[in-house]
Amino acid sequence: MKKKFIYALALAGLFSVSLKAQTPIYLDDNKPIEERVKDALSRMTLEEKVKLCHAQSKFSSAGVPRLGIPELWMSDGPHGVREEIQWNSWADAGWTNDSCTAFPALTCLAATWNPEMSAIYGKAIGEEARYRKKDVLLGPGVNIYRTPLNGRNFEYMGEDPYLASIMVVPYIKEVQKNGVAACVKHYALNNQELWRGHIDVELSDRALYEIYLPAFKASVIEGGTWSIMGAYNKLHGEHCCHNDLLLNQILKRDWKFDGCVITDWGGAHDTREAALNGLDIEMGSYTNGLTSESEFTYDDYYLATPYRKGLKDGTYPLSTIDDKASRILRMIFRTAMNRQRPWGSFTSEEHYKVARTVAEEGIVLLKNNLVDKKKPALLPIDASKYNKILVVGENASRSLTQGGGSSVLKVKKEVSPLEALQMMYGDKIIHAKGYESGRPMYSHVDEIPTEVVESLRNEAIEKAKEADLVIYVGGLNKNHQQDCEAADRITFGLPFGQNELIEGILKVNPNMVMVLMSGNAVEMPWIKSVPAIVQAWYPGSEAGNALANILCGKINPSGKLPFSFPSKLTDNGAHAFDELSYPGDSIKQIYKEDILVGYRWHDTKKIPALFPFGHGLSYTTFTYGKAVFSTKSMDRKGKIEVTIPVTNTGNIEGKEIIQLYIGDDKCSLLRPLKELKHFDKVTLKPGETQKVKFTITVDDLTFFDDKQYEWIAEPGKFKVYIGSSSTHIHSITEFTLL
């Protein structure tokens, strides 16, 4: 009788038992996961299998209570674990212990060009998700930066598929070591927010395979991600959340993905497509993804009652539900039923250190010219030279963890740039807000009265007249039509009257350090007049401390741009054509720039970028020596070792990112002038030389031939470009593929 009682408790999931002979295989975490999945599936009813496939609340999906199989709990990411919300409402739950650490936005992580930063980031955010009892972290994002108007570019890893692929893998691996599934998003082609729910993307297979899929492929094959989030938009007329080509053919057949496909919230639109085209878990249907509620219940979801009825009457094969349920069970055993996973930790000093370190490595020094030939550059700031330092700009004191849509965070700590600069420089700091943008809003823009705009501007200009140095902290924010979900930017220029403010200040005080906080490139009509420009991204909880450490020189900047800054919008490939290229006609759009995204467009079309991909300055200087090749020819099974010496020729320690690009001299199809294939970030003391080594294989030479539908490398000459950015090239050498 006692054994039966214990066995019943085990089935209910209340505790595990050591009665091996009586314990079902699915409860025994010493058994291989595939055996556990098969055993659990054999014990489930059709109704229980179907319930696994759709939401039961805003952020959870059902388990199987009868068998002691727990539900799955999800949380928005990828920059921090979102606050708790109500069961069936987007309103916050009112908890007092859900204030998280805000880690830098993923554009900042990508700008580190350092996989070690990605690993410590993933470990820390995974620990926070685990501590909060989350099973799935909805991130990271790896959609390609196609246009600087995309409202969610700040959540992604830039314009280059190779850089994004290298940076995403450590993040995934470290998150999942906590027994928390990464959910890589948004698969695929969610490269704009305008009309995101229905826009039908038309592009070549070459562009799909060469530009927009590689980071997702790396996430699956190298990162081993346990889940993928589908995109809102369509490809070839089918929504990406239930798209046969993307999910069945590429993801599950070609890449052997064994995890779950989860919709973006409200991303399912049809029961038949959802049943047959590879979707596993449906979330957020009958809402617009974030705000609206409806009279529909969770049983009305496409993969709920309609799907169950279709399975019973033979409309849909039972094999579809067994496949979906198996994938979901596999993820449950990896997460919610994984008794070996650690406990996690939350808002610890260690996590704040991670946030600060990533921000410091990702902040990019764009420009640091001499004010005049008789004076040194403005950065790093020598405080002994200044009595009054004016900090101007709303972003100096505004919380940049608010707004943005699903990336909104409730943080325990957020040090603003103004606070950090005041702590560093004391009463030398004076402040003027300069401009006003309104409340953090998801779907609305506050109108700021003209008298307020003029008053703030005039105050800042008057204070600038008396200051020895101006630190301008502006840029974008996470308001509607800025860096925000559900809407794209409506202008390439700085919003909120900032250009007029900047020009007004420069007329009375040219000693300006410009700090741009944004996830996107911006137009810079004042660039020739501003001596120092820093791209600071959205740096998270330690924003102010990281920025202050860069400005004062305690930390030598080492970030490099993960995307190009065009001088004007039409210099960007997506905007070089008609409106059908961007933003489309509201029904469809055509990627007319094809494979020439970002620096590929600037290079190949000979259109200089304002700041090129891979650009970033330092407070020290580096000299590149002559590249040495192990051989000047290779066959398809061979390799070439490339070694180049790099020397720190300055006075302080610094980090340099050495970038290797390859160009195909002659090809049967159009290819970019060059493409990033390898990079390495090295730390060098003053006077130190390090030999940086790269290995080139035939995989670095291939392109996708959409006629043969395979990756090929044609024999002939190739050029190797080694540089400190996509345009600052220090060495060019040829070799031959036999």
Side-chain angles (χ1 to χ4, degrees), residues 415-428:
V415 180
S416 72
L418 179 60
E419 289 174 310
L421 290 167
Q422 286 171 332
M423 288 188 286
M424 182 166 285
Y425 297 120
D427 57 10
K428 290 187 176 185

Side-chain angles (χ1 to χ4, degrees), residues 109 115-127 130 137 139-140 142 157 164-184 215 217-227 334-335 338 341-342:
L109 175 61
E116 292 179 7
M117 292 297 101
S118 185
I120 64 170
Y121 190 123
K123 179 178 184 293
I125 198 171
E127 288 171 347
R130 173 66 186 107
L137 181 70
V142 292
M157 295 191 180
S165 297
I166 295 297
M167 293 299 294
V168 74
V169 169
Y171 181 116
I172 294 167
K173 288 183 175 179
E174 293 299 324
V175 165
Q176 294 186 168
K177 286 179 182 178
N178 290 280
V180 175
C183 186
V184 182
K217 183 178 181 180
S219 299
V220 172
I221 294 177
E222 298 173 41
T225 187
W226 294 338
S227 62
R334 286 167 166 169
T335 59
N338 176 6
R341 57 180 178 168

Side-chain angles (χ1 to χ4, degrees), residues 348-417:
S348 65
E349 286 304 314
E350 180 183 14
H351 290 179
Y352 291 132
K353 182 180 179 182
V354 168
R356 185 177 68 253
T357 302
V358 172
E360 289 167 348
E361 282 224 13
I363 291 173
V364 181
L365 179 60
L366 293 177
K367 182 181 178 183
N368 196 21
N369 285 2
L370 304 179
V371 177
D372 62 49
K373 294 182 179 180
K374 297 180 181 179
K375 295 182 180 180
L378 285 185
L379 294 176
I381 294 170
D382 183 352
S384 66
K385 295 181 178 179
Y386 308 114
N387 294 316
K388 277 188 179 181
I389 301 174
L390 173 64
V391 178
V392 181
E394 186 186 54
N395 282 355
S397 56
R398 182 185 181 91
S399 171
L400 293 174
T401 60
Q402 298 296 306
S406 63
S407 71
V408 63
L409 295 174
K410 174 182 173 183
V411 296
K412 184 177 180 180
K413 171 186 177 182
E414 184 176 7
V415 180
S416 72

Side-chain angles (χ1 to χ4, degrees), residues 279-296:
L279 177 62
D280 299 311
I281 300 178
E282 176 188 0
M283 300 296 295
S285 292
Y286 306 109
T287 76
N288 66 5
L290 279 176
T291 55
S292 67
E293 298 303 322
S294 75
E295 62 186 12
F296 291 93

